[in-house]
Amino acid sequence: MQKILLVEDDQKLARLIKSFLEEHHFAVTWLNNGDLADQYVSSGGYDLILLDVMLPGKDGFEICRSIRTKFNGPVIMVTARTNSLDQLRGLELGADDYIYKPIEPLILLARIRALLRRVPVEEASTKLLQFGKLQINKVTHSVKIAESNVNLTENEFELLIELTKRAGEILSREYLFMKLIRRDYDGIDRTIDGRVSRLRKKLGDSNESPFRIKTIWGKGYLFVEDAWE
């Protein structure tokens, strides 16, 4: 049974979410205050965190920033605010998806299941990818640059694998959205942009002038094979 940590101060909503997810065979721990989130993440062995933005104590942004040093699983942020800058901030801090209130339970369930899917284990003969100093192990989900470990979340790892599978090709947001989020791109959602931004930072690329994972304006993203020397 997969474990979810729900951090939500709205008691009525939290009870509904907890009950609904437990009916669908998840084990749910509920916190109504952000101050204890770090402690629970460190000791709980959770598979996914469902995190409200507006909380007493630490808010969702602070929690997301803090837990990303110790938690590599998916994080979904929940908010009543529809400000796109808030969404982008959350994604850049390490959130994998954003859901707006009021929450549609079946949509929430679909998002959770999609995020909990993992990259399939590859055959041993094809488990290693090498691009200059960049080494990717598709079985252990480990990444190194010049023998230094790079700590990626599962969703960042999935993005990297998708980019490297078609290195040298421009991959559109629509394509990446369908492959990684597993639903159609609505033209507004910044989830893929946030993942690319975080992945660049961790791989020593620049979001202002990227040279390893390039933005091709109006078309998509390009993984540059010879930029890892």
Side-chain angles (χ1 to χ4, degrees), residues 1 14 72 79 88 92 97 141 152 154 159 189 204-205 217:
M1 184 176 287
N72 289 335
T79 182
L88 184 58
E92 288 182 339
D97 203 352
H141 291 196
L152 300 182
E154 285 295 332
L159 172 59
D189 196 304
D205 204 359
W217 295 108

Side-chain angles (χ1 to χ4, degrees), residues 109-129:
L109 180 63
R111 300 275 189 93
I112 288 171
R113 284 175 170 168
L115 286 171
L116 287 172
R117 294 189 186 106
R118 293 292 183 250
V119 180
V121 173
E122 303 287 337
E123 294 296 328
S125 61
T126 60
K127 72 178 183 179
L128 289 177
L129 294 175

Side-chain angles (χ1 to χ4, degrees), residues 69-86:
T69 63
K70 66 194 83 169
F71 179 73
N72 289 335
V75 175
I76 300 177
M77 299 195 81
V78 179
T79 182
R81 305 194 307 193
T82 57
N83 187 327
S84 61
L85 292 178
D86 280 352

Side-chain angles (χ1 to χ4, degrees), residues 1-4 21-28 45 47 116:
M1 184 176 287
Q2 291 173 301
K3 297 172 64 177
I4 294 175
L21 293 179
E22 287 173 344
E23 287 174 6
H24 288 83
H25 312 295
F26 291 98
V28 181
D47 298 289
L116 287 172

